[in-house]
Amino acid sequence: TISTSFSGQANAPVAIELYSLTGTKLFSTSTTSGSYGEVNYALPIQDVSAGTYFVRVISGTMVQVTRLMKVAQ
């Protein structure tokens, strides 16, 4: 599991998605941001193999895409 945060619109729905490099959606969940627009979330990445992935967070008209690299242990 990896934890990260995002700041967006206050009390707004937020979609969190994990994609492979080929664009395959591997994980998707939704939540609601806090009163100041903050979102803290954990991604369950224990079942994905080592490699590069993209995390996409959508809140209203705001979109944030972050590259995630999982290394073998």
Side-chain angles (χ1 to χ4, degrees), residues 11-72:
N11 302 310
V14 177
I16 303 162
E17 303 166 339
L18 177 67
Y19 289 89
S20 70
L21 275 178
T22 61
T24 303
K25 188 187 297 186
L26 304 172
F27 174 80
S28 179
T29 190
S30 60
T31 188
T32 302
S33 62
S35 58
Y36 295 104
E38 73 283 358
V39 177
N40 297 306
Y41 57 92
L43 287 173
I45 61 168
Q46 65 272 11
D47 293 334
V48 297
S49 57
T52 303
Y53 300 91
F54 292 102
V55 178
R56 185 169 125 176
V57 182
I58 306 160
S59 177
T61 59
M62 297 179 69
V63 178
Q64 174 182 305
V65 178
T66 305
R67 184 175 54 185
L68 167 70
M69 294 182 72
K70 181 178 179 183
V71 294

